[in-house]
Amino acid sequence: GVSVANASQHLRIMRDQGALKVRKQGQQAFYKVANECFIEGAKLIGQGLREEHRIRDDLMKGNPSRL
């Protein structure tokens, strides 16, 4: 996992850059993605990574047909 301090630092950076919105309630902070395009972008990155992993798996199995 990731430490609370590390997660907090990443959340602060994303908030400062405008990727997240924050609502504070007492000592709790609730984060929300500022723009739905960021979610779509993350999905595309995940899709690309899955495709690259499949290609690597095929190459390791001796099946370069996907290149």
Side-chain angles (χ1 to χ4, degrees):
V2 107
S3 70
V4 172
N6 191 276
S8 294
Q9 182 179 11
H10 282 83
L11 289 169
R12 180 185 54 78
I13 291 168
M14 290 189 289
R15 182 197 68 213
D16 290 350
Q17 294 299 314
L20 296 177
K21 294 180 181 179
V22 64
R23 174 178 60 89
K24 293 188 176 182
Q25 188 173 349
Q27 290 192 356
Q28 292 182 318
F30 298 89
Y31 290 88
K32 177 182 178 181
V33 175
N35 187 314
E36 291 294 317
C37 290
F38 296 136
I39 293 172
E40 293 303 315
K43 287 178 182 177
L44 288 171
I45 290 169
Q47 178 183 345
L49 288 170
R50 284 187 296 278
E51 288 175 9
E52 290 302 315
H53 289 163
R54 275 193 246 57
I55 290 169
R56 285 185 190 176
D57 287 346
D58 285 350
L59 287 173
M60 292 185 83
K61 294 174 184 173
N63 182 8
S65 62
R66 298 189 61 164
L67 293 178

